[in-house]
């Protein structure tokens, strides 16, 4: 079966060799069986995105020798569609407004519980708030985030799947398929619509993967746990389930992650020093 894959960078910095690994794996997975490779610009973070980083993504990927289908989907042009998906969840009674600040959450959270990203698990401050409490904050001009009522969402999931557990299929480097049990409750009442923009990473990813017909999501292991929440959203929204492959993440020898702010392993910097695309493949173990 030919697959549709995507590379989905956020344009808030220059790409490094870790991005090259992600992009090449997505590209080669599609190429392998005559599939399609898509590029998606995940720029819902309007504060951090920069047009020059979008241009640099195109240029660096071309330099690597990758070709993708046009037009490129740019998420900031599709907020209405993320809101339509959020509306569906609202209609199911699964989202609630939350006006809590980060520091209020940190102060109230149980220090023993964190979500898979290490952030304090939301302590339910606005869960069950009265219409009056919400109205007061709205009248004062405050915008809420919308959070998933995880308990209610899991009830809907149980009603839909019955005894069948929520799972996803992980395809390993050797092509073998493994069924992984998803544990979305670890994310607690996650944010589905942010305060500052009418979307969130998890919501926009599942909406776009479905809309673009992505059949095989390839991305770094750092997003492995995110798949649990994204599988839940796919079920709640009746979206198709893609295959997943979470590849190794390139780190410094001491285990630190590469970052966009530190450009020592940046594709630009390496290219300026005379590296060729073949050298990059060697550096990331794909030669
Ligand atoms: N935009 C995400 C990132 O740059 C990747 C999203 C995904 O592959 O699901 O980390």
């Amino acid at each position: 079966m030919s697959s549709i894959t995507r590379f989905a960078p956020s344009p808030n910095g220059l790409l490094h060799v870790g991005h090259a690994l992600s992009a090449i794996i997505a590209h080669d997975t599609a190429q392998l069986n005559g599939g399609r490779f898509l590029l998606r610009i995940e720029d819902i973070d309007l504060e951090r995105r920069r047009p020059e980083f979008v241009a640099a993504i195109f240029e660096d990927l071309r330099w690597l020798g990758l070709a993708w289908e046009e037009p490129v989907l740019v998420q900031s042009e599709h907020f209405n569609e993320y809101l339509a998906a959020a509306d569906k969840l609202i209609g199911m009674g699964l989202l609630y407004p939350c006006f809590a600040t980060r520091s209020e959450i940190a102060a109230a959270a149980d220090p023993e519980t964190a979500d898979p990203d290490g952030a304090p698990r939301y302590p339910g401050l606005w869960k069950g708030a009265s219409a009056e409490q919400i109205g007061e904050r709205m009248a004062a001009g405050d915008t809420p985030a919308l959070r998933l009522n995880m308990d209610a969402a899991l009830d809907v999931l149980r009603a839909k799947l019955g005894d069948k557990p929520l799972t996803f299929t992980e395809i390993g480097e050797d092509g073998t398929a493994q069924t992984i049990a998803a544990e979305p409750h670890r994310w607690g009442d996650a944010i589905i619509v942010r305060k500052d923009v009418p979307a969130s990473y998890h919501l926009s990813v599942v909406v776009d993967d479905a809309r673009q017909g992505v059949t095989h999501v390839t991305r770094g292991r750092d997003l492995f746990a995110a798949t649990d929440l994204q599988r839940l959203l796919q079920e709640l929204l009746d979206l198709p389930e893609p295959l997943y492959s979470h590849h190794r993440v390139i780190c410094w020898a001491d285990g630190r992650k590469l970052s966009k702010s530190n450009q020592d392993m940046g594709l630009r910097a390496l290219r300026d020093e005379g590296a060729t695309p073949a050298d990059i493949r060697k550096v990331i173990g794909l030669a």
Side-chain angles (χ1 to χ4, degrees), residues 16-25 64 248 250 258 265 267 270 277-287:
H16 52 60
V17 293
H19 297 108
L21 180 67
S22 282
I24 292 172
I25 287 178
L64 281 175
R248 66 200 153 82
I250 296 178
L258 299 183
M265 277 296 178
L267 293 179
L270 293 170
D279 294 329
I280 303 292
R281 281 187 176 256
K282 243 178 259 160
V283 167
I284 58 182
L286 287 181

PDB file of all heavy atoms in Angstrom, residues 16-25 64 248 250 258 265 267 270 277-287:
ATOM      1  N   HIS A  16      17.651  22.016  12.265  1.00  0.00           N
ATOM      2  CA  HIS A  16      18.924  21.373  12.590  1.00  0.00           C
ATOM      3  C   HIS A  16      18.930  19.938  12.056  1.00  0.00           C
ATOM      4  O   HIS A  16      17.960  19.498  11.407  1.00  0.00           O
ATOM      5  CB  HIS A  16      19.214  21.451  14.090  1.00  0.00           C
ATOM      6  CG  HIS A  16      18.113  20.954  14.979  1.00  0.00           C
ATOM      7  ND1 HIS A  16      17.638  19.666  14.926  1.00  0.00           N
ATOM      8  CD2 HIS A  16      17.395  21.578  15.954  1.00  0.00           C
ATOM      9  CE1 HIS A  16      16.691  19.513  15.828  1.00  0.00           C
ATOM     10  NE2 HIS A  16      16.504  20.662  16.460  1.00  0.00           N
ATOM     11  N   VAL A  17      19.982  19.208  12.361  1.00  0.00           N
ATOM     12  CA  VAL A  17      20.105  17.858  11.772  1.00  0.00           C
ATOM     13  C   VAL A  17      18.987  16.921  12.231  1.00  0.00           C
ATOM     14  O   VAL A  17      18.624  15.988  11.521  1.00  0.00           O
ATOM     15  CB  VAL A  17      21.493  17.214  12.059  1.00  0.00           C
ATOM     16  CG1 VAL A  17      22.599  17.968  11.336  1.00  0.00           C
ATOM     17  CG2 VAL A  17      21.768  17.123  13.542  1.00  0.00           C
ATOM     18  N   GLY A  18      18.424  17.182  13.410  1.00  0.00           N
ATOM     19  CA  GLY A  18      17.295  16.369  13.882  1.00  0.00           C
ATOM     20  C   GLY A  18      16.095  16.526  12.956  1.00  0.00           C
ATOM     21  O   GLY A  18      15.386  15.555  12.655  1.00  0.00           O
ATOM     22  N   HIS A  19      15.868  17.762  12.483  1.00  0.00           N
ATOM     23  CA  HIS A  19      14.780  17.980  11.520  1.00  0.00           C
ATOM     24  C   HIS A  19      15.086  17.284  10.200  1.00  0.00           C
ATOM     25  O   HIS A  19      14.184  16.770   9.531  1.00  0.00           O
ATOM     26  CB  HIS A  19      14.573  19.479  11.256  1.00  0.00           C
ATOM     27  CG  HIS A  19      14.150  20.250  12.466  1.00  0.00           C
ATOM     28  ND1 HIS A  19      14.980  21.126  13.114  1.00  0.00           N
ATOM     29  CD2 HIS A  19      12.988  20.246  13.159  1.00  0.00           C
ATOM     30  CE1 HIS A  19      14.348  21.645  14.143  1.00  0.00           C
ATOM     31  NE2 HIS A  19      13.132  21.126  14.201  1.00  0.00           N
ATOM     32  N   ALA A  20      16.367  17.296   9.826  1.00  0.00           N
ATOM     33  CA  ALA A  20      16.748  16.624   8.570  1.00  0.00           C
ATOM     34  C   ALA A  20      16.383  15.143   8.664  1.00  0.00           C
ATOM     35  O   ALA A  20      15.837  14.565   7.721  1.00  0.00           O
ATOM     36  CB  ALA A  20      18.241  16.809   8.305  1.00  0.00           C
ATOM     37  N   LEU A  21      16.649  14.539   9.822  1.00  0.00           N
ATOM     38  CA  LEU A  21      16.309  13.119   9.997  1.00  0.00           C
ATOM     39  C   LEU A  21      14.799  12.906   9.837  1.00  0.00           C
ATOM     40  O   LEU A  21      14.359  12.018   9.101  1.00  0.00           O
ATOM     41  CB  LEU A  21      16.774  12.625  11.378  1.00  0.00           C
ATOM     42  CG  LEU A  21      16.474  11.153  11.683  1.00  0.00           C
ATOM     43  CD1 LEU A  21      17.283  10.232  10.773  1.00  0.00           C
ATOM     44  CD2 LEU A  21      16.780  10.817  13.154  1.00  0.00           C
ATOM     45  N   SER A  22      14.011  13.740  10.507  1.00  0.00           N
ATOM     46  CA  SER A  22      12.539  13.622  10.413  1.00  0.00           C
ATOM     47  C   SER A  22      12.064  13.783   8.978  1.00  0.00           C
ATOM     48  O   SER A  22      11.219  13.017   8.499  1.00  0.00           O
ATOM     49  CB  SER A  22      11.856  14.721  11.235  1.00  0.00           C
ATOM     50  OG  SER A  22      11.881  14.414  12.576  1.00  0.00           O
ATOM     51  N   ALA A  23      12.575  14.823   8.320  1.00  0.00           N
ATOM     52  CA  ALA A  23      12.115  15.122   6.959  1.00  0.00           C
ATOM     53  C   ALA A  23      12.495  13.999   6.001  1.00  0.00           C
ATOM     54  O   ALA A  23      11.682  13.559   5.183  1.00  0.00           O
ATOM     55  CB  ALA A  23      12.715  16.453   6.493  1.00  0.00           C
ATOM     56  N   ILE A  24      13.732  13.509   6.121  1.00  0.00           N
ATOM     57  CA  ILE A  24      14.198  12.466   5.191  1.00  0.00           C
ATOM     58  C   ILE A  24      13.432  11.158   5.428  1.00  0.00           C
ATOM     59  O   ILE A  24      13.034  10.474   4.478  1.00  0.00           O
ATOM     60  CB  ILE A  24      15.729  12.258   5.309  1.00  0.00           C
ATOM     61  CG1 ILE A  24      16.458  13.506   4.799  1.00  0.00           C
ATOM     62  CG2 ILE A  24      16.169  11.033   4.512  1.00  0.00           C
ATOM     63  CD1 ILE A  24      17.966  13.505   5.028  1.00  0.00           C
ATOM     64  N   ILE A  25      13.183  10.828   6.703  1.00  0.00           N
ATOM     65  CA  ILE A  25      12.422   9.598   6.984  1.00  0.00           C
ATOM     66  C   ILE A  25      11.013   9.696   6.393  1.00  0.00           C
ATOM     67  O   ILE A  25      10.530   8.767   5.747  1.00  0.00           O
ATOM     68  CB  ILE A  25      12.376   9.307   8.500  1.00  0.00           C
ATOM     69  CG1 ILE A  25      13.753   8.806   8.969  1.00  0.00           C
ATOM     70  CG2 ILE A  25      11.291   8.266   8.827  1.00  0.00           C
ATOM     71  CD1 ILE A  25      13.852   8.537  10.463  1.00  0.00           C
ATOM     72  N   LEU A  64      18.632  19.744   0.792  1.00  0.00           N
ATOM     73  CA  LEU A  64      18.797  18.324   1.155  1.00  0.00           C
ATOM     74  C   LEU A  64      18.394  17.394   0.015  1.00  0.00           C
ATOM     75  O   LEU A  64      18.640  16.197   0.063  1.00  0.00           O
ATOM     76  CB  LEU A  64      17.945  17.987   2.380  1.00  0.00           C
ATOM     77  CG  LEU A  64      18.477  18.392   3.756  1.00  0.00           C
ATOM     78  CD1 LEU A  64      17.425  18.081   4.830  1.00  0.00           C
ATOM     79  CD2 LEU A  64      19.787  17.673   4.083  1.00  0.00           C
ATOM     80  N   ARG A 248      14.206   7.664  16.298  1.00  0.00           N
ATOM     81  CA  ARG A 248      15.142   8.121  17.329  1.00  0.00           C
ATOM     82  C   ARG A 248      15.315   9.636  17.227  1.00  0.00           C
ATOM     83  O   ARG A 248      15.146  10.216  16.149  1.00  0.00           O
ATOM     84  CB  ARG A 248      16.492   7.406  17.157  1.00  0.00           C
ATOM     85  CG  ARG A 248      17.221   7.756  15.910  1.00  0.00           C
ATOM     86  CD  ARG A 248      18.258   6.692  15.555  1.00  0.00           C
ATOM     87  NE  ARG A 248      18.479   6.694  14.127  1.00  0.00           N
ATOM     88  CZ  ARG A 248      19.295   7.549  13.505  1.00  0.00           C
ATOM     89  NH1 ARG A 248      19.981   8.434  14.215  1.00  0.00           N
ATOM     90  NH2 ARG A 248      19.413   7.515  12.204  1.00  0.00           N
ATOM     91  N   ILE A 250      17.906  12.817  17.706  1.00  0.00           N
ATOM     92  CA  ILE A 250      19.354  13.050  17.758  1.00  0.00           C
ATOM     93  C   ILE A 250      19.680  13.989  18.919  1.00  0.00           C
ATOM     94  O   ILE A 250      19.053  15.038  19.084  1.00  0.00           O
ATOM     95  CB  ILE A 250      19.840  13.659  16.428  1.00  0.00           C
ATOM     96  CG1 ILE A 250      19.601  12.634  15.317  1.00  0.00           C
ATOM     97  CG2 ILE A 250      21.318  14.047  16.512  1.00  0.00           C
ATOM     98  CD1 ILE A 250      19.975  13.112  13.955  1.00  0.00           C
ATOM     99  N   LEU A 258      18.919  18.596  20.837  1.00  0.00           N
ATOM    100  CA  LEU A 258      19.301  19.719  19.976  1.00  0.00           C
ATOM    101  C   LEU A 258      18.193  20.747  20.051  1.00  0.00           C
ATOM    102  O   LEU A 258      17.032  20.398  20.219  1.00  0.00           O
ATOM    103  CB  LEU A 258      19.429  19.262  18.516  1.00  0.00           C
ATOM    104  CG  LEU A 258      20.470  18.192  18.188  1.00  0.00           C
ATOM    105  CD1 LEU A 258      20.470  17.945  16.679  1.00  0.00           C
ATOM    106  CD2 LEU A 258      21.846  18.604  18.664  1.00  0.00           C
ATOM    107  N   MET A 265      24.350  22.502  15.412  1.00  0.00           N
ATOM    108  CA  MET A 265      23.991  21.400  14.523  1.00  0.00           C
ATOM    109  C   MET A 265      22.966  21.871  13.499  1.00  0.00           C
ATOM    110  O   MET A 265      22.210  21.071  12.951  1.00  0.00           O
ATOM    111  CB  MET A 265      23.457  20.219  15.340  1.00  0.00           C
ATOM    112  CG  MET A 265      24.567  19.359  15.902  1.00  0.00           C
ATOM    113  SD  MET A 265      25.490  18.609  14.555  1.00  0.00           S
ATOM    114  CE  MET A 265      26.720  17.728  15.472  1.00  0.00           C
ATOM    115  N   LEU A 267      21.401  23.164  10.028  1.00  0.00           N
ATOM    116  CA  LEU A 267      21.707  22.806   8.640  1.00  0.00           C
ATOM    117  C   LEU A 267      22.435  23.953   7.936  1.00  0.00           C
ATOM    118  O   LEU A 267      23.377  23.741   7.184  1.00  0.00           O
ATOM    119  CB  LEU A 267      20.420  22.455   7.893  1.00  0.00           C
ATOM    120  CG  LEU A 267      19.715  21.183   8.357  1.00  0.00           C
ATOM    121  CD1 LEU A 267      18.442  20.955   7.555  1.00  0.00           C
ATOM    122  CD2 LEU A 267      20.647  19.978   8.232  1.00  0.00           C
ATOM    123  N   LEU A 270      26.106  24.174   9.169  1.00  0.00           N
ATOM    124  CA  LEU A 270      26.932  23.083   8.641  1.00  0.00           C
ATOM    125  C   LEU A 270      27.213  23.292   7.154  1.00  0.00           C
ATOM    126  O   LEU A 270      28.318  23.065   6.666  1.00  0.00           O
ATOM    127  CB  LEU A 270      26.239  21.735   8.871  1.00  0.00           C
ATOM    128  CG  LEU A 270      26.120  21.338  10.348  1.00  0.00           C
ATOM    129  CD1 LEU A 270      25.216  20.122  10.514  1.00  0.00           C
ATOM    130  CD2 LEU A 270      27.502  21.042  10.941  1.00  0.00           C
ATOM    131  N   PRO A 277      24.880  17.675   1.413  1.00  0.00           N
ATOM    132  CA  PRO A 277      23.737  16.863   1.857  1.00  0.00           C
ATOM    133  C   PRO A 277      24.156  15.439   2.215  1.00  0.00           C
ATOM    134  O   PRO A 277      23.623  14.849   3.150  1.00  0.00           O
ATOM    135  CB  PRO A 277      22.802  16.896   0.655  1.00  0.00           C
ATOM    136  CG  PRO A 277      23.098  18.195  -0.010  1.00  0.00           C
ATOM    137  CD  PRO A 277      24.577  18.402   0.161  1.00  0.00           C
ATOM    138  N   ALA A 278      25.136  14.896   1.490  1.00  0.00           N
ATOM    139  CA  ALA A 278      25.602  13.530   1.801  1.00  0.00           C
ATOM    140  C   ALA A 278      26.246  13.506   3.192  1.00  0.00           C
ATOM    141  O   ALA A 278      26.078  12.531   3.947  1.00  0.00           O
ATOM    142  CB  ALA A 278      26.589  13.068   0.741  1.00  0.00           C
ATOM    143  N   ASP A 279      26.971  14.575   3.546  1.00  0.00           N
ATOM    144  CA  ASP A 279      27.576  14.644   4.887  1.00  0.00           C
ATOM    145  C   ASP A 279      26.483  14.642   5.960  1.00  0.00           C
ATOM    146  O   ASP A 279      26.618  14.020   7.005  1.00  0.00           O
ATOM    147  CB  ASP A 279      28.411  15.922   5.048  1.00  0.00           C
ATOM    148  CG  ASP A 279      29.623  15.927   4.126  1.00  0.00           C
ATOM    149  OD1 ASP A 279      30.141  14.833   3.840  1.00  0.00           O
ATOM    150  OD2 ASP A 279      30.033  17.029   3.690  1.00  0.00           O
ATOM    151  N   ILE A 280      25.404  15.375   5.682  1.00  0.00           N
ATOM    152  CA  ILE A 280      24.308  15.448   6.669  1.00  0.00           C
ATOM    153  C   ILE A 280      23.727  14.052   6.879  1.00  0.00           C
ATOM    154  O   ILE A 280      23.505  13.623   8.008  1.00  0.00           O
ATOM    155  CB  ILE A 280      23.178  16.413   6.195  1.00  0.00           C
ATOM    156  CG1 ILE A 280      23.719  17.806   5.919  1.00  0.00           C
ATOM    157  CG2 ILE A 280      22.020  16.436   7.201  1.00  0.00           C
ATOM    158  CD1 ILE A 280      24.194  18.584   7.121  1.00  0.00           C
ATOM    159  N   ARG A 281      23.517  13.327   5.779  1.00  0.00           N
ATOM    160  CA  ARG A 281      22.982  11.959   5.909  1.00  0.00           C
ATOM    161  C   ARG A 281      23.905  11.101   6.757  1.00  0.00           C
ATOM    162  O   ARG A 281      23.449  10.279   7.545  1.00  0.00           O
ATOM    163  CB  ARG A 281      22.804  11.319   4.521  1.00  0.00           C
ATOM    164  CG  ARG A 281      21.528  11.794   3.820  1.00  0.00           C
ATOM    165  CD  ARG A 281      21.295  11.025   2.525  1.00  0.00           C
ATOM    166  NE  ARG A 281      20.033  11.427   1.925  1.00  0.00           N
ATOM    167  CZ  ARG A 281      18.910  10.689   1.962  1.00  0.00           C
ATOM    168  NH1 ARG A 281      18.885   9.508   2.543  1.00  0.00           N
ATOM    169  NH2 ARG A 281      17.801  11.140   1.415  1.00  0.00           N
ATOM    170  N   LYS A 282      25.233  11.312   6.603  1.00  0.00           N
ATOM    171  CA  LYS A 282      26.197  10.548   7.393  1.00  0.00           C
ATOM    172  C   LYS A 282      26.064  10.907   8.872  1.00  0.00           C
ATOM    173  O   LYS A 282      25.994  10.040   9.736  1.00  0.00           O
ATOM    174  CB  LYS A 282      27.622  10.866   6.911  1.00  0.00           C
ATOM    175  CG  LYS A 282      28.326   9.640   6.350  1.00  0.00           C
ATOM    176  CD  LYS A 282      29.713   9.979   5.841  1.00  0.00           C
ATOM    177  CE  LYS A 282      29.719  10.103   4.318  1.00  0.00           C
ATOM    178  NZ  LYS A 282      30.831  10.843   3.766  1.00  0.00           N
ATOM    179  N   VAL A 283      25.980  12.211   9.158  1.00  0.00           N
ATOM    180  CA  VAL A 283      25.897  12.700  10.535  1.00  0.00           C
ATOM    181  C   VAL A 283      24.676  12.076  11.243  1.00  0.00           C
ATOM    182  O   VAL A 283      24.733  11.719  12.415  1.00  0.00           O
ATOM    183  CB  VAL A 283      25.790  14.249  10.573  1.00  0.00           C
ATOM    184  CG1 VAL A 283      25.395  14.752  11.957  1.00  0.00           C
ATOM    185  CG2 VAL A 283      27.099  14.881  10.139  1.00  0.00           C
ATOM    186  N   ILE A 284      23.565  11.940  10.509  1.00  0.00           N
ATOM    187  CA  ILE A 284      22.349  11.429  11.158  1.00  0.00           C
ATOM    188  C   ILE A 284      22.169   9.921  10.969  1.00  0.00           C
ATOM    189  O   ILE A 284      21.118   9.365  11.267  1.00  0.00           O
ATOM    190  CB  ILE A 284      21.084  12.191  10.664  1.00  0.00           C
ATOM    191  CG1 ILE A 284      20.924  12.071   9.141  1.00  0.00           C
ATOM    192  CG2 ILE A 284      21.152  13.642  11.082  1.00  0.00           C
ATOM    193  CD1 ILE A 284      19.726  12.844   8.595  1.00  0.00           C
ATOM    194  N   GLY A 285      23.221   9.287  10.463  1.00  0.00           N
ATOM    195  CA  GLY A 285      23.206   7.825  10.424  1.00  0.00           C
ATOM    196  C   GLY A 285      22.351   7.232   9.308  1.00  0.00           C
ATOM    197  O   GLY A 285      21.865   6.119   9.433  1.00  0.00           O
ATOM    198  N   LEU A 286      22.184   7.988   8.218  1.00  0.00           N
ATOM    199  CA  LEU A 286      21.351   7.474   7.128  1.00  0.00           C
ATOM    200  C   LEU A 286      22.154   7.173   5.867  1.00  0.00           C
ATOM    201  O   LEU A 286      21.575   6.792   4.859  1.00  0.00           O
ATOM    202  CB  LEU A 286      20.248   8.481   6.771  1.00  0.00           C
ATOM    203  CG  LEU A 286      19.081   8.638   7.733  1.00  0.00           C
ATOM    204  CD1 LEU A 286      18.090   9.645   7.198  1.00  0.00           C
ATOM    205  CD2 LEU A 286      18.388   7.302   7.983  1.00  0.00           C
ATOM    206  N   ALA A 287      23.462   7.360   5.950  1.00  0.00           N
ATOM    207  CA  ALA A 287      24.264   7.217   4.727  1.00  0.00           C
ATOM    208  C   ALA A 287      24.283   5.756   4.264  1.00  0.00           C
ATOM    209  O   ALA A 287      24.177   4.862   5.073  1.00  0.00           O
ATOM    210  CB  ALA A 287      25.684   7.694   4.983  1.00  0.00           C
TER     211      ALA A 287
END
